Amino acid sequence: MTGAGEEMHALVRRLYPLCRSITGDGVRATLEIVGEYIPLQVHEVPTGTRVLDWTVPQEWNIRDAYVADATGRRVVDFAASTLHVLGYSVPVSATMPLSELREHLHTLPEQPSLVPYRTSYYTPDWGFCLAQETLDALPDGDYEVRVDSTLADGHLTYAEHVIPGQVADEVIVSCHVCHPSLANDNLAGIAVATFLARELSERRPYYTYRFLFAPGTIGAITWLARNAERIERVRHGLVLACAGDAGRLTYKQSRRGDAEIDRVLRHVLVASERPHHITEFTPYGYDERQFCSPGFDLGVGSLSRTPYAGYPEYHTSADNPDFVFPEAMADTLAVCREAFAVLDRNRRYLNLSPHGEPQLGRRGLYASLGGRSDAKQAQMAMLWVLSLSDGEHGLLDVCERSGLPFDTVVAAADALCDAGLIKA
């Protein structure tokens, strides 16, 4: 557990300097690094492609940007932090007085030492982000302004990693790859998704797992538009974001509120006795709102620690690698592991001897419990599984109704299945 946490933190540190946006070489470089951990299928969707009600925008790339004073000293420098440039800034090369430049400067007066994260994806503009205390220290005068960027026809890039399961029904695990130097939002989510995929690849799960690494909003919309024939196979989904801070775990339910993924996460969080919070769905947040939109209405929830906008470091330069912790990412990974273990085993069974209680002793089922410290609990689990194996209740229903541990219920179902008393 600790080893995985340290490895995930190392991945966060490695990805942190890259300038990501909703398109461009920063996304490609990020996916290239993730591809060293798990194989990825990378997709390039041309500018102008219609995707649902949206259109794939022009591709943005940036080489350098700065604001320099009369001595040539860079008082704001993209090379120092990718956050210093307004995302999707159009090219500019000019000299202007501070009074004019101020219209293009973004700060956080209430957090004067921090640099904000700002973008202008769909409205042509340029700008710089800096600490309020830096701005306050700038004397009047002329400043050289330079944004060496390109905004041209290109592609939107996203990637998938698919783990074949025993069935074609799919579980989507999604994270966004569009944020620049922000460690919790969402490099920690990328790291947890990557290591979760690596773990699942080592076994053959029941469901087929599809990991999606895509820019926020437009990436999920593009995937949905390009995968209409696959949507009916998506049974469950989880969006990972803000996965590495020290706060308690938060699960945001799907739009349905009673989807199986909702029930599974509630069960795992309660049973583990971890500090946690369950929130209702709202149509604001990350890409769960795209997957849950009424035309798709997929059972997709979102797992984070402190939710978006719920911590003062959110979308600021304080969301750096020191703000995320190996132990927190390892804990988020463990919850995902536990949740998918429940999801994969939550089968519905049919009682093949439904008229009265079958004789368990004659089949050696009682004898198999001899000497077990939990013999009474295991016996009750068998009786509960038999009672609710009507083709409509799953093992999680049995677990919730009986109050018995999920693993005990699964073991009972396996024993009954082997004895020919129930079938999936």
Side-chain angles (χ1 to χ4, degrees), residues 75-295:
V75 295
V76 184
D77 191 357
F78 170 75
S81 171
T82 64
L83 295 179
H84 276 309
V85 173
L86 178 76
Y88 254 65
S89 281
V90 298
V92 60
S93 181
T95 299
M96 63 185 66
L98 181 60
S99 58
E100 181 181 344
L101 177 59
R102 280 181 181 273
E103 299 177 10
H104 297 275
L105 300 181
H106 305 269
T107 65
L108 292 168
E110 68 281 7
Q111 295 173 290
S113 65
L114 302 183
V115 177
Y117 164 55
R118 298 288 184 268
T119 65
S120 183
Y121 292 145
Y122 301 104
T123 302
D125 197 1
W126 64 268
F128 290 86
C129 300
L130 66 161
Q132 181 66 45
E133 59 189 26
T134 301
L135 176 59
D136 292 341
L138 294 181
D140 288 333
D142 288 342
Y143 288 84
E144 180 189 0
V145 178
R146 171 78 166 163
V147 176
D148 182 11
S149 65
T150 56
L151 192 59
D153 287 354
H155 297 83
L156 178 146
T157 309
Y158 71 90
E160 296 176 289
H161 174 78
V162 179
I163 303 166
Q166 299 170 41
V167 297
D169 291 345
E170 293 190 0
V171 179
I172 289 178
V173 181
S174 173
C175 61
H176 57 276
V177 296
C178 53
H179 284 18
S181 298
L182 298 173
N184 198 40
D185 180 26
N186 185 50
L187 295 180
I190 294 172
V192 171
T194 299
F195 278 71
L196 178 62
R198 196 165 73 171
E199 284 192 10
L200 287 173
S201 296
E202 294 174 355
R203 60 183 177 86
R204 192 184 180 204
Y206 178 72
Y207 289 108
T208 292
Y209 283 80
R210 183 176 300 274
F211 285 77
L212 179 61
F213 300 85
T217 304
I218 187 66
I221 286 172
T222 298
W223 186 88
L224 288 164
R226 287 164 54 90
N227 289 272
E229 78 290 347
R230 181 175 287 117
I231 298 301
E232 64 180 17
R233 296 209 299 268
V234 176
R235 294 290 178 262
H236 320 284
L238 190 64
V239 173
L240 294 173
C242 302
D245 67 89
R248 64 180 177 175
L249 285 154
T250 299
Y251 176 69
K252 176 183 173 182
Q253 298 181 118
S254 71
R255 177 177 172 270
R256 299 179 194 173
D258 62 350
E260 190 172 344
I261 192 71
D262 301 328
R263 296 180 57 216
V264 166
L265 262 297
R266 285 196 299 264
H267 168 76
V268 166
L269 290 170
V270 170
S272 70
E273 299 184 342
R274 288 179 173 89
H276 69 276
H277 186 51
I278 306 291
T279 66
E280 298 292 329
F281 175 83
T282 64
Y284 183 76
Y286 294 109
D287 285 332
E288 68 278 357
R289 69 190 197 270
Q290 310 307 331
F291 298 117
C292 293
S293 56

Side-chain angles (χ1 to χ4, degrees), residues 37-72:
Y37 293 79
I38 54 174
L40 293 176
Q41 181 180 8
V42 177
H43 304 270
E44 299 275 5
V45 184
T47 295
T49 302
R50 185 74 172 177
V51 287
L52 305 182
D53 195 44
W54 295 59
T55 302
V56 172
Q58 289 188 309
E59 181 176 326
W60 182 70
N61 287 292
I62 183 167
R63 287 166 291 276
D64 193 16
Y66 60 86
V67 175
D69 64 17
T71 70

Side-chain angles (χ1 to χ4, degrees), residues 351 353-363 366 379-380 382-384 386-387 416 421:
N351 190 334
S353 183
H355 299 98
E357 181 181 306
Q359 192 176 32
L360 301 181
R362 176 164 58 85
R363 294 172 171 83
Y366 281 150
Q379 177 185 336
M380 286 303 301
M382 288 186 188
L383 296 176
W384 271 107
L386 286 167
S387 179
L416 293 168
L421 287 172

